[in-house]
Amino acid sequence: MKFGVVVFPGSNCDRDMQDALQHDLNKEVIMLWHKNKSLEGLSTNDCIVLPGGFSYGDYLRCGAIARFSPMMQSVIEFANKGGKVLGVCNGFQILCESGLLPGVLLQNAHQQFVCKNIFIKNEVTGALKIPVAHGDGRYFANDNLLNELQKNNQIIFNYCDENGNINTASNPNGAARNIAGIRNKTGNVFGMMPHPERATSKTLNNIDGIKVFEYLGLN
Amino acid sequence: MIYNVQIKVMPLKDLLDPQGKAVLGGLKNLGINTVSDVRVGKHITLEINAASEAEAKTIAEEASKKLLANPVMEFFEIEMVN
């Protein structure tokens, strides 16, 4: 599996993502500039990553303007054909704005930017230590949609404590039902606020991020 | 003709608005204690080149629905100025 990493004006985790994929996961990576439309070299067996950052300065709403960039039109088409797409942090916000994932990411309930290691889990991986760094990461959707996400097994990670307890104290931003990441119904589009690409190297003393890529089938 | 359109975008009423909460705290620090709630939204003005007011309004509605507001978290009101 090859990877394409989209670079928007204001992306700042694109090179981290490229480095993690190339050097820690040994993947071929193609950088995709937001003004281009071509996905040459990538097939729907590959994966496109929307990295973290502040695309278009977070103007209007996080991800709102990136959604209309030329490259995003190709990414939406790619996702609708079954190609895998992963959005991390700002990438998750862009996926929600573009309608590839349901719901929205609101300003953190405690009004602060949060930058620290937190724990996330699902039934397969157990608790993983992954860094977060965001000001607008409070996942929100109405109750009907949240129930549907749960019923369809679309919640890929919940915030938890280091022992795997999902509770209010371990929720870094006030996200509905401690949701840290979700996938679409067809299971090829993933979005998450925590940064797995910042935890793939032994030099950084944390390789839990590799387990995130493995769980998502992006390895 | 150019139509001036003003668009108000506000967070949905039952959603927590952290920015409004922070401003409320600021007002209290300022000594204004009579304000019980603050909500912060956006005021957007558009100059629209259209053949009629109705057409300008339709364009403003499309812009609001597709980009200026996100219905999952916000509502908008359009006011035609001229």
Side-chain angles (χ1 to χ4, degrees):
Chain A
M1 179 180 277
K2 271 186 286 189
F3 284 80
V5 176
V6 182
V7 184
F8 296 101
S11 294
N12 66 7
C13 301
D14 46 327
R15 303 293 148 174
D16 293 26
M17 185 60 80
Q18 179 188 23
D19 187 85
L21 291 169
Q22 276 178 345
H23 298 120
D24 300 329
L25 284 100
N26 295 314
K27 299 294 177 188
E28 189 185 327
V29 179
I30 301 169
M31 301 307 275
L32 304 167
W33 182 235
H34 71 110
K35 277 190 176 167
N36 298 337
K37 285 196 93 164
S38 167
L39 297 181
E40 206 184 314
L42 293 169
S43 78
T44 48
N45 296 322
D46 300 323
C47 175
I48 295 179
V49 182
L50 307 183
F54 300 84
S55 59
Y56 296 88
D58 275 353
Y59 293 165
L60 199 62
R61 289 180 310 280
C62 305
I65 299 177
R67 175 243 184 284
F68 291 100
S69 65
M71 181 50 73
M72 271 311 292
Q73 310 321 304
S74 302
V75 172
I76 291 169
E77 212 175 284
F78 176 84
N80 289 335
K81 282 193 286 194
K84 290 195 169 173
V85 178
L86 168 68
V88 171
C89 201
N90 187 224
F92 186 12
Q93 295 162 342
I94 296 168
L95 289 174
C96 287
E97 279 288 341
S98 65
L100 286 175
L101 290 174
V104 75
L105 293 141
L106 299 171
Q107 191 183 17
N108 296 345
H110 48 60
Q111 308 154 34
Q112 289 159 23
F113 191 93
V114 54
C115 182
K116 62 179 183 182
N117 281 315
I118 50 92
F119 290 88
I120 56 173
K121 73 176 275 196
N122 60 42
E123 281 170 10
V124 177
T125 62
L128 301 175
K129 183 165 83 174
I130 306 287
V132 290
H134 59 249
D136 300 74
R138 175 166 52 111
Y139 185 76
F140 170 79
N142 65 35
D143 277 334
N144 288 342
L145 183 63
L146 292 171
N147 292 339
E148 203 182 308
L149 289 175
Q150 239 159 350
K151 198 183 80 190
N152 299 336
N153 223 3
Q154 283 177 256
I155 299 170
I156 53 173
F157 287 107
N158 292 99
Y159 297 112
C160 63
D161 65 19
E162 61 185 314
N163 299 315
N165 302 306
I166 298 172
N167 50 32
T168 311
S170 59
N171 187 336
N173 51 35
R177 303 191 191 178
N178 278 44
I179 290 173
I182 58 169
R183 66 176 158 217
N184 67 347
K185 259 189 199 159
T186 43
N188 62 313
V189 179
F190 313 97
M192 60 190 292
M193 287 313 296
H195 287 270
E197 81 279 10
R198 295 188 187 182
T200 55
S201 161
K202 282 185 180 149
T203 314
L204 299 175
N205 277 322
N206 186 0
I207 53 166
D208 278 5
I210 292 176
K211 293 178 192 161
V212 171
F213 286 100
E214 282 171 359
Y215 170 72
L216 298 176
L218 307 177
N219 58 338
Chain B
M1 182 169 169
I2 300 277
Y3 290 89
N4 288 308
V5 183
Q6 306 213 349
I7 300 166
K8 182 175 92 173
V9 180
M10 291 297 291
L12 291 177
K13 292 205 162 64
D14 46 359
L15 270 187
L16 170 71
D17 173 18
Q19 200 178 176
K21 219 166 110 184
V23 174
L24 180 63
L27 288 172
K28 291 218 162 106
N29 290 341
L30 182 66
I32 298 176
N33 294 307
T34 44
V35 179
S36 58
D37 191 32
V38 180
R39 297 185 75 73
V40 179
K42 298 184 189 89
H43 186 96
I44 300 165
T45 61
L46 304 179
E47 284 181 8
I48 300 177
N49 208 334
S52 68
E53 186 175 309
E55 189 192 325
K57 197 170 180 188
T58 308
I59 292 166
E61 269 167 8
E62 191 193 352
S64 302
K65 277 184 195 152
K66 290 191 178 162
L67 177 60
L68 304 180
N70 180 338
V72 182
M73 60 197 268
E74 295 163 327
F75 69 94
F76 65 88
E77 286 168 14
I78 294 174
E79 192 192 336
M80 308 298 292
V81 181
N82 58 342

